[in-house]
Amino acid sequence: MKSVKAFAPATVANVSCGFDILGFAIDAMGDYVEVSLRDKPGLKVISIEEDGGKLPWEVEKNTCAVAIQAMLDSFGKQVGMDISLRKGLPLGSGMGSSAASAVAALVAANRLLGDPFEKKDLLPFAIVAEKAACGAGHADNVAPSLLGGFVLIRDYHPLDVIKLPVPEGLYCTLLHPHFQLNTSDSRSVLRDSIPLKHSTIQSGNVAGFIAGLYQQDFGLISRSMRDVIAEPYRAVLIPGFYEVREALKGAGALGMGISGSGPTLFALSEGADKSKEMAKAAEEIYQAIGLGVDVHFSAINTVGAYVLEEK
Ligand code: HSE
């Protein structure tokens, strides 16, 4: 085998109540990475498509290369590889763009080496890449992009990652307004400490959300989609946030929140039926404030990243 191409899906991190500890993968979009063996040692980024010329090609900065290098360091043998990235995800969108690139690169490179690592064991390498991309080694995008479904990061030290059930019929609508918000900027507005009462509220909601997934209780999921830690500080960076939320709830959403660090907003619904109406209600608001928006409809992706092609 000389070359492997892999796909990794977009993700919604935080899911309102689970800042840095909860995320899920979506079916609608993702990134593609092809990794080929090269004669000379070392990694080289040989092509990047659909990024508008914005992503770095240097191996110390490119998330695909950083992730593969971390994997090779652990593998204990430096194998030369060429890396080609095709972005399916917009940059700085809050849909786990850097995570999908790193995860697809890892899945492809691991297969090229003969799968020495189990899928879940690729996660620490993806976190190294995430840290290089945005300054914080959060796993709530990379873990669901790799593993699919809803994923809980119970602890980071040591890493303890738990796959959660996906209730039948749970559906996601994504609203991606036409502007970029970098995760590092969106993290810089957060506070270092939170009041005790907010910790209580947030713990109750994240526990309630997870119970809702296990019990397939859409009412409980809906009641638990509340964030008092990050959303109040980030909502001001996203024009129309509160108006869109009201409109979506009125149109039947279980809840709406910021997808990861934004500016994309996500809404969950029971089934796909209400999603068109929800999107229409949101589009009217974006139109009124003069902001373009892309709407994506998606079931929850339960498989995560996978190999597309081997040559
Ligand atoms: N948990 C991260 C954050 C996700 O909210 O900053 C970034 O996509």
Side-chain angles (χ1 to χ4, degrees):
M1 201 193 320
K2 292 211 172 87
S3 175
V4 178
K5 191 193 270 185
F7 168 82
T11 44
V12 171
N14 300 334
V15 203
S16 291
C17 52
F19 178 72
D20 274 0
I21 62 166
L22 200 57
F24 67 87
I26 60 165
D27 263 342
M29 293 171 292
D31 280 0
Y32 302 82
V33 177
E34 183 163 359
V35 181
S36 311
L37 288 176
R38 63 193 247 113
D39 304 336
K40 295 184 193 142
L43 302 178
K44 190 171 182 200
V45 179
I46 58 164
S47 80
I48 304 180
E49 293 170 54
E50 309 290 335
D51 70 323
K54 288 186 180 160
L55 288 177
W57 290 58
E58 302 94 313
V59 289
E60 304 78 24
K61 291 185 187 157
N62 180 279
T63 50
C64 299
V66 170
I68 295 174
Q69 189 57 59
M71 184 180 81
L72 290 175
D73 292 345
S74 172
F75 185 53
K77 190 173 157 203
Q78 297 301 323
V79 179
M81 295 182 189
D82 286 333
I83 302 163
S84 304
L85 165 64
R86 180 155 64 83
K87 293 297 299 176
L89 294 179
L91 311 182
S93 60
M95 292 188 275
S97 175
S98 55
S101 299
V103 167
L106 285 168
V107 168
N110 189 41
R111 176 63 58 85
L112 199 58
L113 296 174
D115 281 335
F117 296 95
E118 277 187 40
K119 206 177 182 193
K120 68 173 174 38
D121 295 331
L122 297 173
L123 196 52
F125 314 134
I127 293 174
V128 172
E130 198 70 310
K131 188 159 189 192
C134 76
H138 62 92
D140 49 344
N141 289 113
V142 285
S145 185
L146 184 66
L147 303 172
F150 279 90
V151 180
L152 167 71
I153 298 101
R154 190 203 61 82
D155 201 356
Y156 278 78
H157 307 291
L159 206 51
D160 188 1
V161 170
I162 298 129
K163 259 196 96 162
L164 304 169
V166 178
E168 183 84 31
L170 191 63
Y171 199 75
C172 181
T173 303
L174 289 154
L175 306 159
H176 172 223
H178 291 174
F179 70 98
Q180 195 172 327
L181 185 55
N182 292 325
T183 298
S184 50
D185 294 334
S186 193
R187 289 183 84 89
S188 71
V189 300
L190 302 178
R191 304 295 187 266
D192 282 335
S193 55
I194 55 166
L196 185 61
K197 65 178 179 187
H198 285 176
S199 161
T200 308
I201 294 169
Q202 199 86 2
S203 309
N205 283 321
V206 76
F209 190 89
I210 291 169
L213 294 180
Y214 275 96
Q215 295 175 2
Q216 309 212 15
D217 182 337
F218 290 102
L220 180 53
I221 288 171
S222 174
R223 295 198 298 284
S224 306
M225 287 180 68
R226 183 174 170 212
D227 172 18
V228 293
I229 289 182
E231 189 182 280
Y233 305 107
R234 286 175 165 174
V236 293
L237 305 174
I238 303 171
F241 176 85
Y242 292 105
E243 294 91 327
V244 172
R245 176 147 73 192
E246 280 315 300
L248 289 181
K249 281 201 170 166
L254 294 172
M256 184 216 84
I258 303 169
S259 177
S261 54
T264 295
L265 305 179
F266 79 101
L268 294 179
S269 58
E270 188 176 353
D273 296 353
K274 294 174 186 136
S275 55
K276 292 258 165 20
E277 204 179 314
M278 284 157 48
K280 192 164 162 278
E283 276 169 332
E284 280 168 13
I285 290 166
Y286 282 114
Q287 201 173 10
I289 58 178
L291 197 55
V293 65
D294 292 324
V295 181
H296 305 282
F297 302 106
S298 182
I300 312 299
N301 170 314
T302 54
V303 295
Y306 57 89
V307 168
L308 276 171
E309 200 180 310
E310 306 175 20
K311 286 186 272 192

